[in-house]
Amino acid sequence: MGGGPCSAEGSDLLLLDLGDRYIAEAVSEKGAALLEDRAFEKSDEKSLSHAEKIRKQAEASMQPLAKKETWSRNWSGFSAIRFGKTWQRRVQLRDLHVPLPDLSLLRSLRRSIGPGRRKDQGLGFLPVPSVHPAGFGFNPRPTVKERFRQRIMHKLSYLPRSQAMTGCVGCGRCVTECPVNLDIREVMVISFRGKCTVMENPYVPVPMRIEEIIVETEDENIKTFETVFYGQG
Amino acid sequence: MARADEERFAYTPGQFAELSVFGKGEAPFGMASTPTRPGRLSFSVSKIGVVTGALHRMEKGDVVGVRGPFGNGYPLQTFKGKNLVLVGGGFRVFHAPVPDEFHSPRFKQKRVQRPHGDLRSKKAGMLLYKKDLEAWKSKGISGCI
């Protein structure tokens, strides 16, 4: 997002932890006024050099995956062919992919049909069978692939282009709280590289050989399959 | 290749994987095996649909595809030093990995105390892992069936 562990953007006062004490840097006039308080002492050369060393170490430990200003350009090259591989990383849990009505598309659809006809036809004029009558919409992104693409492009390509800002604030909660354990940063790395292989992508199916089949119930409706990675055993 | 796949497929109890049958599709299943035995994955499958039906028709030596692991798993670190009560639905709750994990040497060092499980099934024939249940009893895990 362009920030960093020692980024002072938007701050009045920047505190840097030196271990046994803090070093404070005034960024604005308000911050400078705060520094005149008796709680602060003037820093010496040794502390300043130590702070600079810590600052460099912290910034070196957090290298960005992609530069903010290049996101829009890079994502515009996120081709459909490449999506064909990356979207498979998504778990196909149906509940997580409830199609939502896209009202802008619905409006354009109405205009193309004409106001007089839609009254008689009701929902029947919608051309897509997977209609959600309760939401009064139709699903313009019927498969996981289109929805996966939209969620990434919306935040990282469409918004930067239309609003000159990304939809991502860099909080990282989408990674830590993702119910399907999808790390969008990995997707970005794979996409920017322009290649996606089995070795790089753990979510492409790997072959496993069935080693043993255990019948768990008398009616044989539940079985336990013992498998090993193909090439072992 | 197999070793690289094995190392990459590091999972914790509670996670699941997508199991695929070529030409039929894929479906999510929880791992019924323990992470303490790397290289081997077990899946308990109930025959209810296309993918599970195809799985049930497979024989020893056949090949399936596995993607994952997915999900976040149980927060094992927070179990340290606590008595555990396992409550849940579905037969996956009492899969072998959880008790096995509790009794692994690594986990014993964390001093997890006496896990309890309430083991019930809708029908007598639906109770799974009977051998495991007996083994759990011998290890001191209490439960009622």
Side-chain angles (χ1 to χ4, degrees):
Chain A
M1 297 306 300
C6 302
S7 174
E9 187 180 353
S11 307
D12 291 322
L13 197 66
L14 183 68
L15 288 178
L16 192 65
D17 189 357
L18 298 183
D20 54 349
R21 61 198 187 283
Y22 290 96
I23 189 164
E25 180 187 345
V27 183
S28 67
E29 290 182 3
K30 284 183 182 178
L34 281 171
L35 282 185
E36 291 174 4
D37 191 279
R38 285 187 304 176
F40 296 96
E41 296 175 1
K42 191 168 176 59
S43 54
D44 53 15
E45 286 296 322
K46 190 179 176 184
S47 299
L48 285 173
S49 62
H50 186 39
E52 189 61 27
K53 189 180 174 185
I54 290 177
R55 190 195 307 266
K56 284 181 180 174
Q57 280 179 349
E59 286 174 348
S61 67
M62 297 179 67
Q63 290 297 323
L65 285 170
K67 289 184 179 175
K68 187 178 174 182
E69 56 270 20
T70 61
W71 276 11
S72 180
R73 187 176 71 244
N74 285 340
W75 285 108
S76 63
F78 202 57
S79 67
I81 296 172
R82 223 175 291 165
F83 269 118
K85 291 177 179 175
T86 51
W87 76 271
Q88 291 172 1
R89 302 166 64 88
R90 198 66 188 256
V91 182
Q92 295 184 35
L93 290 177
R94 299 298 175 201
D95 292 345
L96 294 177
H97 300 288
V98 176
L100 298 173
D102 189 320
L103 295 180
S104 60
L105 282 175
L106 189 65
R107 278 197 294 274
S108 63
L109 194 67
R110 278 179 171 175
R111 278 198 295 273
S112 65
I113 291 174
R117 292 181 59 194
R118 75 165 190 266
K119 192 174 182 182
D120 299 331
Q121 288 174 332
L123 285 172
F125 72 87
L126 293 170
V128 182
S130 60
V131 176
H132 276 225
F136 198 66
F138 86 105
N139 181 14
R141 293 179 278 276
T143 70
V144 179
K145 178 181 174 182
E146 283 92 12
R147 291 192 282 278
F148 179 73
R149 183 180 193 278
Q150 166 64 17
R151 282 165 193 171
I152 292 177
M153 297 291 277
H154 165 68
K155 285 191 175 184
L156 305 177
S157 180
Y158 302 152
L159 275 175
R161 276 189 287 174
S162 64
Q163 308 294 327
M165 59 184 289
T166 67
C168 173
V169 296
C171 69
R173 280 182 295 181
C174 64
V175 177
T176 57
E177 304 299 326
C178 179
V180 295
N181 206 16
L182 175 75
D183 191 339
I184 194 171
R185 298 168 302 181
E186 289 180 26
V187 179
M188 290 170 70
V189 169
I190 290 170
S191 306
F192 292 160
R193 279 183 198 157
K195 58 183 180 180
C196 177
T197 65
V198 172
M199 296 305 291
E200 286 177 328
N201 186 349
Y203 298 96
V204 170
V206 294
M208 296 200 75
R209 182 164 45 80
I210 297 175
E211 187 83 351
E212 192 178 353
I213 300 174
I214 304 165
V215 179
E216 296 284 357
T217 54
E218 293 173 1
D219 57 3
E220 299 189 6
N221 265 341
I222 300 176
K223 292 180 181 176
T224 295
F225 296 86
E226 293 255 351
T227 62
V228 295
F229 288 98
Y230 200 75
Q232 284 186 347
Chain B
M1 178 71 182
R3 177 63 62 185
D5 290 337
E6 177 190 323
E7 288 173 358
R8 195 163 45 236
F9 204 98
Y11 64 98
T12 56
Q15 287 192 292
F16 66 99
E18 292 273 345
L19 206 59
S20 56
V21 181
F22 186 74
K24 297 294 180 184
E26 71 173 359
F29 298 99
M31 269 76 78
S33 50
T34 168
T36 54
R37 284 194 308 162
R40 296 181 73 90
L41 296 177
S42 297
F43 301 93
S44 289
V45 179
S46 179
K47 192 167 87 175
I48 54 170
V50 176
V51 176
T52 55
L55 273 170
H56 272 246
R57 287 192 295 276
M58 296 185 102
E59 296 175 354
K60 186 178 172 182
D62 288 344
V63 176
V64 294
V66 174
R67 299 197 291 134
F70 297 112
N72 294 315
Y74 293 109
L76 297 181
Q77 293 294 333
T78 62
F79 293 172
K80 182 179 176 183
K82 295 177 182 173
N83 291 320
L84 302 181
V85 179
L86 311 179
V87 181
F91 57 79
R92 191 190 152 206
V93 176
F94 302 111
H95 275 178
V98 175
D100 272 10
E101 182 70 7
F102 289 152
H103 286 273
S104 68
R106 183 173 63 84
F107 216 71
K108 274 185 177 175
Q109 290 171 3
K110 296 175 186 173
R111 292 187 297 177
V112 174
Q113 299 170 2
R114 296 182 63 195
H116 293 252
D118 190 1
L119 312 177
R120 297 162 192 259
S121 69
K122 201 186 296 181
K123 291 183 286 188
M126 292 288 287
L127 196 65
L128 311 181
Y129 316 119
K130 290 173 185 171
K131 288 181 183 174
D132 292 326
L133 295 180
E134 295 299 324
W136 299 349
K137 279 183 182 176
S138 66
K139 288 176 180 175
I141 300 176
S142 59
C144 58
I145 300 173

